[in-house]
Amino acid sequence: STTTTNPATNPATNPATNTSTPAAEPFRRRPFVGGNWKMNLLAAEVVALAQSIAAPGGGDGGAGGVDVVVFPPFPYLATVRPVLKPGVQLGGQDCSAEKQGAFTGQVGAAMLRDVGCASVLIGHSERRHGLGETDALLSRKIGQALDAGLVPVLCVGETLAERESGRAHEVIDSQLRGSLAGHAESALATLVVAYEPVWAIGTGRTATPDDAAEAHRTVRRTLKELYSARFSEQVRVIYGGSVNARNAAELLAREEIDGGLVGGASLVASDFAAIIAAASRRS
Ligand code: 13P
């Protein structure tokens, strides 16, 4: 089953090891669309939603292909896995910074991998700001994700106050440096960065394509300084924050924006399908 294929080691889904370049591809990086279901839905709704989602190109890495990943709540990962269509991947919303042991309530990266996850969200703003997760902690979570063979989807983004005081880019830069501290370029080949400005999450106030594109350039500038130009050009940088069926096309038409991390609209099958279709037009 494609849901058990690890994109970190699968050349078809890992741009770092995929040496075949489709001739008609306007953008170099494979689009990535994540549906972050957060703490929503119960089993019956989870199954209906999961069954409705399709990955263009069946997730096989061909033209028109999009990495489509759903991030259900932990209790439903094993429920969702068998009902996903070919190519739709499973992801965890978080993982522990510890490998295993006496950590009540936490979920280990190896457990996520074991239950069929290909990726994991690290440092979502609802955890940074709601639960006080620090960059130092997130760096350890990235280490656990990488050790388990999961694609880390590292979330960064400024608050409204930080943006209004002109510090958005400084915040993005410092979150990246802190969260990636201790990790070598060679270990991070599968990294995805999600730029999610806190003021845009769940507010209906989407970043303009210009603002999002500018923030994504900041992400790449920092990655270039930390690692290399080549690395900064191959990492996927996706946008999250009130992405919906109406604004997705405009955002995803920008060269800098490799995909989306979608909350509310990912709970509505037709809206999520429209966003995936917009991403598919990039490839
Ligand atoms: P919304 O799409 O509901 O704004 O949520 C975005 C988000 O936080 C995805 O991780």
Side-chain angles (χ1 to χ4, degrees):
S1 148
T2 46
T3 56
T4 58
T5 302
N6 177 7
T9 54
N10 176 8
T13 54
N14 180 356
T17 55
N18 184 359
T19 51
S20 68
T21 312
E25 203 163 56
F27 297 121
R28 287 158 301 178
R29 297 174 292 264
R30 181 176 169 83
F32 183 109
V33 175
N36 177 6
W37 297 354
K38 307 190 179 180
M39 197 173 76
N40 293 294
L41 311 178
L42 296 173
E45 303 154 307
V46 155
V47 168
L49 181 59
Q51 285 171 331
S52 76
I53 298 164
D60 65 359
V66 175
D67 280 348
V68 176
V69 188
V70 293
F71 298 89
F74 290 140
Y76 301 122
L77 287 169
T79 313
V80 165
R81 182 186 185 184
V83 304
L84 289 175
K85 290 187 177 157
V88 179
Q89 300 168 28
L90 196 59
Q93 294 180 14
D94 176 50
C95 71
S96 178
E98 307 290 343
K99 193 170 282 303
Q100 62 174 62
F103 303 102
T104 302
Q106 297 199 44
V107 173
M111 294 171 182
L112 296 178
R113 185 82 185 95
D114 191 40
V115 80
C117 288
S119 58
V120 60
L121 302 181
I122 304 281
H124 192 281
S125 71
E126 287 151 16
R127 300 194 63 90
R128 287 180 183 268
H129 296 285
L131 298 169
E133 293 196 351
T134 63
D135 288 321
L137 180 81
L138 301 179
S139 169
R140 294 173 53 219
K141 291 190 176 199
I142 288 174
Q144 293 299 334
L146 294 172
D147 283 353
L150 296 171
V151 171
V153 180
L154 172 64
C155 305
V156 298
E158 81 284 359
T159 64
L160 185 59
E162 288 163 344
R163 174 154 286 261
E164 288 179 340
S165 62
R167 293 193 296 124
H169 298 276
E170 178 193 317
V171 169
I172 295 165
D173 178 79
S174 113
Q175 288 178 338
L176 283 169
R177 288 176 191 277
S179 301
L180 295 172
H183 299 295
E185 173 175 336
S186 58
L188 291 170
T190 62
L191 176 73
V192 174
V193 176
Y195 168 61
E196 297 207 298
V198 178
W199 48 269
I201 294 176
T203 60
R205 187 178 163 195
T206 317
T208 64
D210 280 349
D211 283 345
E214 189 187 9
H216 288 211
R217 288 194 296 273
T218 296
V219 169
R220 286 191 206 288
R221 191 182 322 123
T222 299
L223 294 177
K224 184 177 172 183
E225 286 173 17
L226 283 173
Y227 301 110
S228 67
R230 183 171 175 277
F231 181 76
S232 75
E233 284 158 20
Q234 92 192 5
V235 167
R236 273 124 11 124
V237 184
I238 63 177
Y239 168 79
S242 297
V243 176
N244 60 40
R246 288 174 306 286
N247 61 30
E250 195 187 9
L251 287 160
L252 295 170
R254 302 298 294 258
E255 200 268 345
E256 292 92 338
I257 303 174
D258 299 317
L261 187 55
V262 186
S266 75
L267 301 174
V268 180
S270 57
D271 289 359
F272 194 52
I275 295 164
I276 293 166
S280 179
R281 290 195 284 276
R282 292 177 62 83
S283 60

